[in-house]
Amino acid sequence: MWYTINVTYYKGRVKIIALLLLGLLAFPLVGQPSSGQRILSQRTLSTVTSQLHSFNVDRIGPTLTHPWSIAFLPGGDMLISERGGTLYRYHNQERHQVTGLPAIRAFGQGGLLDFEPHPNFARNNLILFSFTEKRSEGYGTSVARAKLVGNALEELRIIFRAQPSSFSKLHFGSRISFLADGTLLVSLGDRGTRHEAQNLTNHNGTLVRININGSAPINNPFVNRSALRSEIYSYGHRNIQGLAVEPGSENIYLHEHGPRGGDEINLVVKGRNYGWPRVTYGKEYATNAKIGIGNSAPGYIDPLLQWTPSIAPSGLMIYSGRRFPRWRGHLFVGALAGRYIARVELSQGRALERERLLEKELGRIRDIKEDQDGNIWFITDERRGSLYKISF
């Protein structure tokens, strides 16, 4: 049986028709029946008016516990990870828990992180994902591949382990994205040891590019360079939690957390240094003191856009669908601290924040993705987090 809660946007506030909550309380939200858990849909009555488009927001239940990523499969099924170590497959209006994950350690900011289907998933059923792994010398971000067969992962293999491990609870990254040549980009945080983001003998604070067997492509910038890590594609990053490849152009965009201010959107150039912690707009948390040598300096790549104060960006999408044509080519960024979705326009080598959607209406936005029909989906990172759909 389906229950509906009508959510009406009026003067920036969300009003919930309380009468229908009686029906919601009767709905079995807890537990994971073997046949799959029925999806509860909550739909808005009215539209949200933005600068370029009006849209509806649907909340798709049941609730989620600190969800971290959304991935769409060919055919329309959706995967959603919870940082604590649970993966769900949404199929035919039911939610199924996926089995066969490796040991996940939800430690500090780490846990079960990003998922991405292989470009040839329809033929090989391969899924790639990043997660926090407990190791003998600490914890680290790892990447695994497996076949998704029904609601189970099979033939699982860990293909990459970021080095070194540490006992820090901070800055694991990690978003993943495929390039057109089938290689995989993996974003990695500095693990709280900021100076190591300038050290090419480890993976801290880098964007890496690997083949799906874990090896480094031969045209990576630091291949065969003595002790340097051959997987590194760019470096000098703090904690990348948004990564997207522009359809057609293969431009790589990422965003990363600054400390106190200085969140950045960057266009990735192979082999280049993005400055952290030598060049940053951010300041020390405790003292508000300047970090590094300034906001810009020769030899470092400047951001396309920076946010001060921080919005804590997480999740990045380049919209390419037909449902909202005036948004095509724009970046959409989830904001955790800001609690909104930023619409960012790319223009003449700059990125300009044009609009803040749903600001402080729904919670901490963790990830945002587009489906095959051009609808936009996002998740809120809360103890009782939710999945939402933007459509009209």
Side-chain angles (χ1 to χ4, degrees):
M1 182 174 182
W2 289 77
Y3 295 84
T4 301
I5 291 181
N6 298 317
V7 182
T8 305
Y9 285 82
Y10 178 69
K11 293 183 180 179
R13 296 180 179 274
V14 178
K15 293 186 176 181
I16 299 178
I17 299 176
L19 182 61
L20 293 181
L21 285 174
L22 295 175
L24 175 61
L25 292 175
F27 192 89
L29 294 179
V30 181
Q32 187 65 39
S34 58
S35 60
Q37 192 170 23
R38 189 74 174 181
I39 296 172
L40 168 70
S41 177
Q42 302 172 352
R43 183 175 178 83
T44 62
L45 281 178
S46 62
T47 60
V48 178
T49 301
S50 72
Q51 292 174 4
L52 299 181
H53 287 287
S54 295
F55 56 89
N56 294 327
V57 179
D58 301 347
R59 180 186 178 276
I60 310 299
T63 58
L64 294 155
T65 303
H66 294 292
W68 217 89
S69 71
I70 303 169
F72 284 99
L73 304 177
D77 281 11
M78 177 170 48
L79 300 177
I80 296 183
S81 66
E82 293 179 332
R83 189 170 56 83
T86 304
L87 176 65
Y88 292 108
R89 182 173 188 168
Y90 287 66
H91 172 73
N92 287 344
Q93 297 186 351
E94 288 188 342
R95 187 179 82 172
H96 302 263
Q97 185 169 341
V98 177
T99 62
L101 287 165
I104 308 293
R105 190 58 181 266
F107 176 74
Q109 296 175 353
L112 183 58
L113 303 174
D114 209 16
F115 277 78
E116 188 75 10
H118 189 274
N120 291 324
F121 176 86
R123 285 184 286 181
N124 61 25
N125 283 67
L126 282 179
I127 293 289
L128 285 291
F129 62 96
S130 58
F131 66 102
T132 302
E133 183 183 33
K134 175 69 172 70
R135 306 169 188 167
S136 59
E137 65 277 22
Y139 302 85
T141 302
S142 298
V143 177
R145 56 177 280 185
K147 287 186 176 181
L148 179 62
V149 181
N151 300 318
L153 296 178
E154 299 181 358
E155 301 178 31
L156 187 140
R157 176 185 170 192
I158 297 175
I159 61 169
F160 173 78
R161 289 182 166 95
Q163 300 295 338
S165 305
S166 86
F167 288 96
S168 169
K169 296 181 178 182
L170 302 174
H171 302 176
F172 292 91
S174 161
R175 296 291 176 185
I176 63 177
S177 188
F178 277 99
L179 292 171
D181 63 4
T183 59
L184 184 70
L185 299 170
V186 184
S187 72
L188 301 167
D190 68 1
R191 300 305 316 284
T193 55
R194 60 177 63 168
H195 61 281
E196 293 297 334
Q198 293 293 318
N199 182 357
L200 291 171
T201 66
N202 65 52
H203 295 120
N204 290 354
T206 65
L207 179 68
V208 303
R209 174 174 172 252
I210 57 175
N211 297 309
I212 62 167
N213 64 3
S215 64
I218 59 173
N219 58 347
N220 269 5
F222 303 109
V223 169
N224 300 323
R225 293 277 300 274
S226 186
L228 306 189
R229 294 285 179 173
S230 58
E231 301 88 359
I232 294 174
Y233 197 75
S234 64
Y235 65 107
H237 303 289
R238 185 171 182 265
N239 192 26
I240 306 166
Q241 290 194 344
L243 179 65
V245 179
E246 186 174 20
S249 74
E250 286 292 284
N251 286 335
I252 302 165
Y253 293 92
L254 60 79
H255 63 59
E256 54 190 285
H257 291 254
R260 187 170 183 169
D263 298 341
E264 298 179 357
I265 291 180
N266 285 299
L267 173 63
V268 176
V269 180
K270 176 180 175 179
R272 297 300 296 272
N273 186 345
Y274 286 78
W276 175 255
R278 296 283 290 159
V279 173
T280 177
Y281 286 84
K283 296 183 178 180
E284 299 286 1
Y285 286 111
T287 64
N288 205 35
K290 176 181 173 181
I291 299 173
I293 60 176
N295 300 335
S296 181
Y300 302 100
I301 300 293
D302 291 335
L304 300 180
L305 172 68
Q306 67 89 22
W307 283 279
T308 299
S310 293
I311 66 167
S314 184
L316 176 63
M317 176 193 73
I318 304 171
Y319 187 74
S320 61
R322 296 182 179 179
R323 192 168 295 273
F324 300 102
R326 298 175 71 186
W327 284 349
R328 294 193 74 181
H330 293 196
L331 307 182
F332 287 77
V333 178
L336 296 166
R339 296 174 180 257
Y340 67 89
I341 297 170
R343 180 175 65 83
V344 176
E345 184 178 352
L346 301 171
S347 177
Q348 298 179 340
R350 299 177 60 199
L352 305 170
E353 184 183 75
R354 293 299 193 186
E355 190 172 15
R356 297 186 172 191
L357 303 173
L358 305 174
E359 187 169 15
K360 294 182 171 56
E361 294 288 352
L362 299 173
R364 293 160 45 85
I365 312 299
R366 173 58 78 178
D367 196 16
I368 182 165
K369 291 286 174 64
E370 173 189 347
D371 69 18
Q372 60 188 9
D373 297 319
N375 302 302
I376 296 173
W377 299 71
F378 63 95
I379 46 178
T380 53
D381 183 2
E382 312 282 353
R383 187 177 63 83
R384 292 182 60 81
S386 295
L387 169 66
Y388 295 90
K389 176 184 178 182
I390 291 176
S391 62
F392 69 88

